[in-house]
């Protein structure tokens, strides 16, 4: 094994799970946490790879800090954060790209990866995406394991948007399940959500095929059918009539889909994209519609033919 | 309402649920059951529409009977049966098409429709597919309800194959859940199953888009994530080490995915299609592999790139 030094930025559940995978492959892990006041420059010194698993709200600040540091010349940055910046509507990889010198390759890690299950050693698969296949393959070697299959992909934006936009869908599915509408309704909702995500993603420059893979459909399925998902639990709570503030207090933190729903509405208006599911989630989060009325609005869409679903 | 006379062939759970929908729209329902020895000619007399929801094993016999009868001149036949004929590898609509005079239009009804939920009045959506849009639209009018949205589609074979092939996937997912592999593994399995279904379906002449809709992905999701599904329960039981005969006894009847898995292997060999998931299900049903080994074989596939997943 060619041992390298890998910085893991962010020490939440996902950061810790990734650190474990990297260490299990014999690499040296340098953990960094904003909360613990760690020295970022010292952490990154000598690192060939930095994996960022920080929360969305810290991404702009981290990218700005990185710009001011002396980074190892060939360091690859992998972002595993899911979310959109409210001000620019950028994804994490777009934010890092705007701040990092162009000789630092950027990759995206995204897939159906509930971190609790990864930590337990249950089998999972994920996607590492970069516009440079060699970069994706390098990252693949560092984190892959028998029980953690890593597939490469050339569409980082698509991989990232799949993981991000599905959080809005998870809220909608949580509402559906919280209202006890059954498996048929849930399946129909997820099926009709995928083309909505594809409409947004392709308009922003992602490739349609990516959304049918692990980082698109795969991540949507894991998040939308598991009570482990924070965003799903937001929707579930709303369906039970709980106020959003109460739900977020009980979750003990943020659920990224709440912010993402607002950003999606901004994008949809700017780009003139029909986003019926995000619209109802947005209305529900604002409190201008009841869960029952939101679901009814989705069921009553006057679509008669399935053709034209995707394009 | 323009009231018509509608024959419902087959009085299982799905036939009864469809009869209820048709009757609720003010139409006259003529139920027919092979088991009860009903007179088929008398049932079909004066019917503008016949909906067949019989079990797969009765389809060839019903099609043969229909050939010998005096049918109302413009009668439409809708088939709602999911399965493949072991001898010809035909779908129900292909079997009916081969036996019925060509002036009788044939349509396919297929979607995420667990019949128990439909009977309970829970919301659901489905697809009615025909090569003639006017035919699909006519059927749509007869069965649609506020809580049962019907979408039209021009690819009856695709709609039918989605509903049929997903039963094999449901067995695989049942195994995965029975082994407690978690939500990540299940999501990855379903995501990788969809292109397998698409490879088979498109090779047989169906359109790729159909598999992303309600009768494809939608039905797969409902069947693969619900303990209500018989095929899912077959896989779940196998994972617990139960013999297939015991599982089928406990289910009190057949699970169509067992037969479909065998037919899929015949088609895959004939058409030279890679079907890794169906292959492992087939091996498992034959008893030549353990559930654990079947899952490992799927996880260990040496696929490194996601590109080329669909085509």
């Amino acid at each position: 094994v060619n041992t390298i030094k890998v910085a893991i930025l962010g020490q939440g559940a996902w950061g810790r799970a990734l650190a474990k995978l990297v260490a299990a492959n014999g690499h040296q892990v340098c953990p960094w946490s904003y909360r613990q006041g760690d020295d970022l420059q010292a952490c990154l010194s000598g690192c060939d790879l930095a994996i960022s698993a920080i929360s969305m709200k810290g991404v702009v600040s981290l990218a700005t800090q990185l710009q001011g540091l002396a980074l190892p010349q060939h360091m690859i940055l992998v972002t595993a954060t899911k979310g959109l910046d409210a001000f620019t509507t950028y994804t994490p990889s777009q934010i890092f790209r705007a701040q990092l010198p162009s000789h630092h390759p950027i990759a995206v890690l995204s897939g159906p990866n509930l971190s609790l299950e990864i930590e337990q050693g249950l089998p999972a698969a994920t996607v590492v995406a970069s516009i440079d296949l060699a970069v994706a393959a390098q990252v693949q070697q560092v984190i892959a394991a028998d029980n953690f299959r890593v597939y490469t992909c050339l569409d980082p934006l698509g991989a990232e948007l799949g993981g991000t936009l599905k959080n809005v869908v998870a809220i909608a599915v949580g509402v559906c399940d919280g209202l006890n509408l059954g498996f048929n309704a849930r399946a129909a909702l997820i099926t009709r959500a995928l083309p909505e995500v594809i409409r947004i993603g392709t308009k922003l420059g992602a490739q349609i095929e990516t959304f049918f893979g692990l980082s698109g459909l795969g991540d949507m399925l894991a998040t939308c059918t598991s009570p482990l998902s924070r965003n799903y639990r937001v929707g579930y709570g709303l369906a039970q009539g709980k106020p959003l503030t109460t739900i977020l207090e009980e979750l003990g933190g943020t659920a990224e889909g709440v912010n993402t729903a607002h950003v999606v509405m901004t994008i949809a208006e700017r780009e003139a994209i029909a986003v019926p599911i995000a619209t109802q989630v947005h209305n529900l989060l604002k409190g201008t519609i009841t869960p029952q009325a939101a679901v009814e609005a989705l069921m009553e869409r006057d679509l008669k033919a399935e053709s034209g679903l995707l394009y």
Side-chain angles (χ1 to χ4, degrees), chain A:
Chain A
V1 175
N2 188 8
T3 296
I4 63 168
K5 198 174 156 190
V6 180
I8 306 283
L9 313 180
Q11 299 302 310
W14 194 206
R16 291 194 312 270
L18 290 168
K20 216 166 141 183
L21 287 162
V22 170
N25 281 337
H27 301 291
Q28 188 189 341
V29 170
C30 306
W32 175 84
S33 163
Y34 171 77
R35 286 195 189 178
Q36 291 167 19
D38 297 337
D39 182 341
L40 185 58
Q41 177 72 73
C43 167
L44 293 172
S45 171
C47 284
D48 299 301
L49 182 64
I51 303 178
S52 167
I54 63 169
S55 64
M56 187 61 216
K57 67 178 186 297
V59 171
V60 168
S61 157
L62 176 62
T64 309
Q65 279 186 78
L66 286 175
Q67 205 186 18
L69 298 181
L71 302 177
Q73 199 179 348
H74 300 293
M75 191 189 83
I76 298 171
L77 180 76
V78 178
T79 169
T81 301
K82 291 165 181 180
L84 294 171
D85 180 57
F87 185 64
T88 59
T89 76
Y90 280 179
T91 64
S93 78
Q94 291 175 322
I95 294 166
F96 285 120
R97 187 70 287 164
Q99 300 293 336
L100 280 184
S102 61
H103 64 270
H104 286 296
I106 292 178
V108 165
L109 176 68
S110 187
N113 301 146
L114 296 162
S115 50
L116 186 66
E117 293 189 358
I118 309 276
E119 281 197 291
Q120 291 171 344
L122 290 171
T126 199
V127 168
V128 170
S130 167
I131 55 169
D132 183 343
L133 183 61
V135 168
Q138 269 181 277
V139 178
Q140 180 185 43
Q141 290 302 319
V142 175
I143 58 170
D146 281 350
N147 257 359
F148 191 67
R149 310 297 296 175
V150 180
Y151 295 89
T152 57
C153 163
L154 291 167
D155 180 19
L157 183 62
E160 205 170 22
L161 285 172
T164 294
L165 299 173
K166 67 93 175 55
N167 284 331
V168 180
V169 180
I171 296 176
V173 175
V175 173
C176 183
D177 281 0
L179 293 173
N180 293 311
L181 298 182
F183 292 103
N184 291 339
R186 183 170 84 175
L189 179 57
I190 297 175
T191 303
R192 299 196 74 78
L194 187 59
E196 179 165 323
V197 165
I198 290 174
R199 280 195 300 273
I200 304 165
T202 50
K203 192 86 181 190
L204 297 178
Q207 291 158 26
I208 187 169
E209 290 78 11
T210 310
F211 296 97
F212 297 126
L214 292 166
S215 61
L217 175 60
D219 196 5
M220 190 183 289
L221 294 183
T223 305
C224 292
T225 65
S226 164
L228 294 174
S229 154
R230 303 169 66 80
N231 296 291
Y232 174 93
R233 283 156 71 190
V234 167
Y236 201 95
L238 289 170
Q240 293 176 313
K242 290 185 189 172
L244 181 57
T245 47
T246 309
I247 297 168
L248 294 178
E249 268 169 34
E250 286 175 2
L251 282 178
T254 57
E256 203 50 47
V258 175
N259 172 56
T260 305
H262 298 310
V263 187
V264 164
M265 293 314 293
T266 305
I267 294 171
E269 278 162 35
R270 187 185 71 206
E271 309 281 350
I273 311 165
V275 290
I277 294 171
T279 302
Q280 295 308 329
V281 169
H282 187 242
N283 290 340
L284 194 54
L285 292 170
K286 280 193 304 182
T288 59
I289 194 170
T290 65
Q292 192 66 53
V295 166
E296 275 169 20
L298 288 175
M299 286 295 291
E300 282 167 8
R301 289 189 68 198
D302 196 26
L303 286 175
K304 295 296 183 192
E306 270 218 310
S307 51
L309 200 62
L310 287 179
Y311 304 97

